[in-house]
């Protein structure tokens, strides 16, 4: 066992003494030492019940003959960080999480690890750590929140807070109604109820085989989640004894399966960044941005959860969860091992119930193409990403005149003040990985556009990114970014922009000679940060089409 480096032999008496100081006995020290990387936080609704899950994981580890050690991992709630300076720290925190876990596990020579996670950047950061460390590992995602309820209708976080704020600015609801919605939209523990980034990543983690069946969808408050935590604790000890490591599970097939699932569910565009960053950690050059587009043309969109539709994560769970979607996808999914000990094919064959009102069959999809599309063109030579499953069919081809802003705040002020005209393409630039820095999510402006009734009249493009809650014709991850002199930096108010999702095009309709003239006079703005995490991220971050990590 790896832990023998800190517990075996007379020269390790000092090390053993320090372990005994934690309260464990000699017998416990002779067992596999299992870390529980817990992202518990009182600040993050998706993480507030993790103390209970820690207990059940510990019970499982002890029952299987291991010795558990809980240690903390930082967590940011993207919903709370949204729309202000704090969002710049969210994506960089992914690298901080991976680095911190690597340091703790290597520093203490742990034999295996349970990743207790849930929300937006924590799960991908932990996946990156698992790939880098390559010691036996298993994931427990803490589960989605139940729907809120208000006057006989179900509520979700994005639609009934961010979009409701836009409806208030438009005059459709009163301030009192807005306050009632904000009180009821998030009724308790769990990640936000729709197919936003946290829940998408939980589903993809299960699909890749890194968590037990149904872990990705089981709601946070159910006893089922505690049982999954207990079984995961038991299973990690077996994984250590069997020497089953993450790189034996997170193969090219596993990553392709995750992309297929993402497309079938209509998941968050953030998963593009996260899967590309994970592929980088795995040293897997077979997965790139074009993989998403290749598979998107083959994989139908089968599930319509919020924000694109009206269903919730709880509906997907009770419809059969990820195993039911895997079964439905059939041969579009490749066989692969999983931490459960069952292969993907065995999980597919074990399914006994599928609710076809929630999970459509292959011959009756919502769309013949997957939920995400990758667009290229003169405006995005290295690619851009759109959640096409959340775009109205009428807006999948759109030509409009640019209205340019150099920050999210500038755009938000114009939108809420009613200054955006129909037929506009809102351009938000200098929000990329280096220019932001931190590649902020644009949920506030996109939700305001929907709330103010403009989602069929205007588009939004950015070198930043979008929340999983975004819907409408919103194209993000435009690469190269403005700070690096990409074409998005050269746009002027009034320039015509063509967005053609079916043809995978995004074009700046400006004469090449004029663009060259603008490029010659381009001067990037000074860096916003010269010290600390964001300065380091701006210096080291890869471009979006490579995952935007510092690795």
């Amino acid at each position: 066992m790896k832990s023998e480096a800190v517990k075996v032999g007379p020269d390790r008496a000092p090390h053993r003494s320090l372990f005994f100081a934690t309260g464990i006995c000699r017998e416990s020290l002779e067992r596999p030492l299992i870390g529980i990387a817990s992202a518990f936080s009182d600040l993050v609704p998706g993480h507030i019940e993790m103390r209970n899950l820690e207990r059940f994981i510990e019970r499982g580890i002890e029952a299987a003959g291991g010795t558990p050690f809980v240690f903390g991992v930082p967590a940011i709630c993207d919903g709370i960080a949204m729309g202000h300076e704090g969002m710049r720290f969210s994506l960089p925190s992914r690298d901080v999480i991976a680095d911190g876990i690597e340091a703790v596990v290597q520093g203490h020579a742990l034999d295996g690890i349970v990743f207790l996670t849930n929300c937006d950047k924590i799960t991908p950061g932990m996946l990156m750590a698992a790939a880098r460390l390559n010691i036996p590992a298993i994931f427990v995602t803490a589960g989605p929140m139940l729907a809120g309820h208000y006057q006989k209708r179900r509520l979700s976080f994005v639609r009934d807070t961010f979009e409701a704020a836009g409806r208030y600015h438009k005059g459709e609801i009163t301030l009192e109604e807005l306050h009632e919605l904000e009180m009821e939209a998030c009724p308790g523990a769990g990640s936000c109820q729709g197919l936003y980034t946290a829940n998408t990543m939980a589903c993809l983690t299960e699909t890749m085989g890194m968590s037990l069946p149904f872990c990705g969808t089981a709601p946070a408050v159910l006893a089922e989640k505690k049982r999954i935590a207990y079984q995961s604790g038991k299973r990690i000890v077996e994984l250590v004894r069997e020497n089953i490591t993450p790189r034996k599970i997170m193969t090219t097939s596993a990553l392709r399966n995750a992309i297929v699932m993402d497309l079938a569910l209509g998941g968050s565009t953030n998963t593009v960044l996260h899967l590309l960053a994970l592929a980088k950690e795995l040293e897997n050059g077979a997965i790139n941005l074009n993989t998403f587009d290749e598979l998107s043309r083959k994989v139908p969109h089968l599930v319509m959860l919020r924000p694109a539709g009206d269903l919730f994560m709880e509906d997907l769970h009770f419809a059969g969860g990820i195993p039911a979607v895997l079964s439905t996808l059939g041969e579009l999914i490749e066989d692969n091992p999983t931490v459960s000990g069952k292969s993907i094919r065995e999980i597919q064959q074990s399914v006994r119930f599928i609710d076809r009102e929630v999970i459509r069959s292959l011959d009756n999809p919502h769309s013949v193409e997957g939920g995400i599309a990758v667009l290229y063109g003169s405006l995005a030579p290295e690619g851009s990403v759109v959640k096409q499953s959340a775009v109205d069919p009428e807006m999948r081809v759109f030509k409009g005149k640019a209205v340019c802003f150099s920050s999210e705040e500038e755009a938000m002020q114009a939108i809420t003040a009613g200054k955006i005209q129909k037929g506009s393409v809102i351009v938000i630039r200098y929000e990329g990985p280096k220019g932001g820095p931190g590649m902020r999510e644009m949920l506030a402006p996109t939700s305001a556009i929907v709330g103010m009734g403009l989602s069929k009249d205007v588009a939004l493009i950015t070198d930043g990114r979008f929340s999983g809650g975004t819907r409408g014709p919103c194209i993000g991850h435009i690469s190269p970014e403005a700070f690096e002199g990409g074409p998005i930096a050269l746009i002027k108010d009034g320039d015509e922009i063509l967005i053609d999702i079916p043809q995978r095009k995004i074009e700046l309709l400006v004469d090449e000679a004029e663009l060259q003239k603008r490029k010659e006079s381009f001067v990037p703005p000074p860096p916003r940060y010269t010290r600390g995490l964001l300065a380091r991220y701006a210096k080291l971050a890869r471009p979006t089409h490579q995952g935007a990590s510092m690795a």
Side-chain angles (χ1 to χ4, degrees):
M1 290 187 293
K2 184 176 180 179
S3 61
E4 289 179 2
V6 294
K7 66 184 185 182
V8 174
D11 291 339
R12 293 297 180 253
H15 305 66
R16 291 191 294 271
S17 181
L18 290 168
F19 274 114
F20 294 146
T22 69
I24 66 170
C25 60
R26 194 172 296 277
E27 179 188 354
S28 297
L29 195 58
E30 293 168 355
R31 299 173 175 178
L33 306 186
I34 309 296
I36 302 172
S38 174
F40 167 77
S41 172
D42 285 329
L43 282 166
V44 185
H47 293 217
I48 57 176
E49 281 295 306
M50 284 185 177
R51 284 287 181 251
N52 280 329
L53 295 180
E54 289 170 8
R55 291 176 54 228
F56 282 86
I57 294 169
E58 286 176 315
R59 288 181 185 179
I61 292 170
E62 288 277 1
T67 299
F69 295 93
V70 178
F71 65 91
V73 174
I76 292 176
C77 175
D78 276 15
I80 295 173
M82 196 75 65
H84 61 93
E85 202 72 1
M87 178 48 73
R88 299 192 194 282
F89 289 86
S90 175
L91 187 58
S93 77
R94 184 181 64 174
D95 288 275
V96 172
I97 289 162
D99 291 348
I101 292 169
E102 178 190 16
V104 171
V105 170
Q106 298 286 44
H108 297 89
L110 300 179
D111 296 305
I113 185 166
V114 180
F115 292 102
L116 179 55
T117 177
N118 212 22
C119 289
D120 298 305
K121 306 308 170 291
I122 300 93
T123 301
M126 289 184 172
L127 285 166
M128 290 164 63
R132 190 182 302 173
L133 290 163
N134 201 35
I135 65 168
I138 194 168
F139 279 69
V140 178
T141 48
M145 189 183 291
L146 295 177
H149 289 268
Y150 177 70
Q151 296 183 356
K152 292 190 175 181
R153 64 186 179 92
R154 294 198 295 175
L155 307 182
S156 65
F157 169 61
V158 172
R159 192 172 296 183
D160 297 295
T161 59
F162 278 97
E163 291 182 12
R167 292 173 58 209
Y168 166 73
H169 285 294
K170 192 182 177 185
E172 288 186 352
I173 61 174
T174 65
L175 187 60
E176 182 181 9
E177 289 174 293
L178 180 63
H179 287 168
E180 288 172 346
L181 289 171
E182 72 187 40
M183 183 63 74
E184 303 299 332
C186 298
S191 46
C192 303
Q193 305 100 323
L195 201 61
Y196 315 132
T197 305
N199 291 325
T200 306
M201 285 306 303
C203 292
L204 303 194
T205 300
E206 181 181 332
T207 301
M208 284 189 287
M210 289 302 296
S211 62
L212 297 182
F214 302 104
C215 186
T217 57
V221 296
L222 296 192
E224 179 181 6
K225 183 62 74 176
K226 295 182 176 67
R227 289 190 286 272
I228 289 171
Y230 175 78
Q231 292 298 333
S232 298
K234 290 184 67 177
R235 184 62 186 146
I236 186 59
V237 180
E238 295 166 358
L239 291 171
V240 169
R241 289 174 175 151
E242 296 165 12
N243 193 31
I244 297 175
T245 57
R247 292 194 178 208
K248 294 177 182 177
I249 292 172
M250 289 194 289
T251 63
T252 298
S253 292
L255 291 171
R256 287 178 66 87
N257 286 346
I259 296 171
V260 169
M261 180 61 69
D262 197 3
L263 297 168
L265 294 176
S268 166
T269 54
N270 279 312
T271 58
V272 177
L273 289 177
H274 300 327
L275 291 176
L276 291 176
L278 177 58
K280 177 66 179 174
E281 287 287 353
L282 291 165
E283 302 170 289
N284 188 326
I287 302 297
N288 53 49
L289 186 58
N290 289 330
T291 312
F292 288 82
D293 197 49
E294 168 213 332
L295 292 173
S296 182
R297 297 173 187 271
K298 302 175 183 177
V299 178
H301 179 208
L302 303 178
V303 180
M304 190 72 82
L305 303 187
R306 288 196 176 194
D310 290 316
L311 297 175
F312 293 68
M313 282 298 294
E314 61 198 71
D315 299 316
L316 176 58
H317 183 66
F318 296 121
I322 296 306
V325 185
L326 289 170
S327 177
T328 300
L329 287 166
E331 293 300 319
L332 289 169
I333 291 289
E334 301 173 23
D335 199 14
N336 203 65
T338 76
V339 292
S340 71
K342 294 181 178 179
S343 70
I344 290 290
R345 288 284 178 260
E346 289 173 318
I347 292 171
Q348 287 178 315
Q349 293 162 8
S350 70
V351 172
R352 296 289 177 266
F353 169 75
I354 303 174
D355 183 345
R356 289 298 181 205
E357 291 184 6
V358 177
I359 304 168
R360 291 196 176 186
S361 60
L362 290 176
D363 59 4
N364 182 36
H366 291 285
S367 171
V368 295
E369 289 191 351
I372 290 174
V374 179
L375 312 185
Y376 291 92
S378 60
L379 187 42
E382 293 178 343
S384 61
V385 178
V386 62
K387 187 172 183 175
Q388 64 173 342
S389 59
V391 180
D392 190 281
E394 297 176 23
M395 290 295 290
R396 293 190 178 182
V397 178
F398 183 79
K399 183 190 287 186
K401 292 187 181 298
V403 184
C404 301
F405 303 96
S406 293
S407 71
E408 176 187 359
E409 287 83 357
E410 288 181 15
M412 190 64 180
Q413 289 170 7
I415 294 166
T416 55
K419 294 180 179 179
I420 302 299
Q421 304 297 315
K422 292 182 179 181
S424 298
V425 177
I426 300 168
V427 179
I428 306 179
R429 55 196 175 194
Y430 299 109
E431 291 286 6
K434 294 181 180 295
M439 203 180 180
R440 288 193 291 180
E441 290 183 353
M442 304 289 153
L443 180 58
T446 60
S447 296
I449 288 168
V450 173
M452 296 185 75
L454 292 171
S455 62
K456 293 185 180 181
D457 300 296
V458 303
L460 189 153
I461 68 171
T462 181
D463 53 5
R465 60 194 175 91
F466 297 116
S467 161
T470 292
R471 55 179 172 145
C474 303
I475 291 85
H477 304 200
I478 288 178
S479 185
E481 62 175 291
F483 190 79
E484 303 251 87
I488 190 171
L490 309 180
I491 303 172
K492 292 185 176 180
D493 288 348
D495 286 349
E496 280 199 322
I497 293 171
L498 172 65
I499 298 165
D500 189 335
I501 296 174
Q503 296 299 316
R504 304 296 199 267
K505 291 182 179 179
I506 180 165
E507 304 285 356
L508 176 56
L509 304 179
V510 174
D511 180 78
E512 184 62 36
E514 171 62 20
L515 280 181
Q516 185 60 35
K517 190 186 303 181
R518 295 180 190 179
K519 190 168 187 176
E520 289 170 0
S521 62
F522 170 75
V523 178
R528 285 193 171 102
Y529 294 84
T530 57
R531 59 194 298 270
L533 173 61
L534 294 181
R536 186 163 67 252
Y537 184 76
K539 181 179 180 181
L540 298 176
R542 294 178 177 273
T544 53
H545 65 281
Q546 295 179 11
S549 70
M550 291 190 282

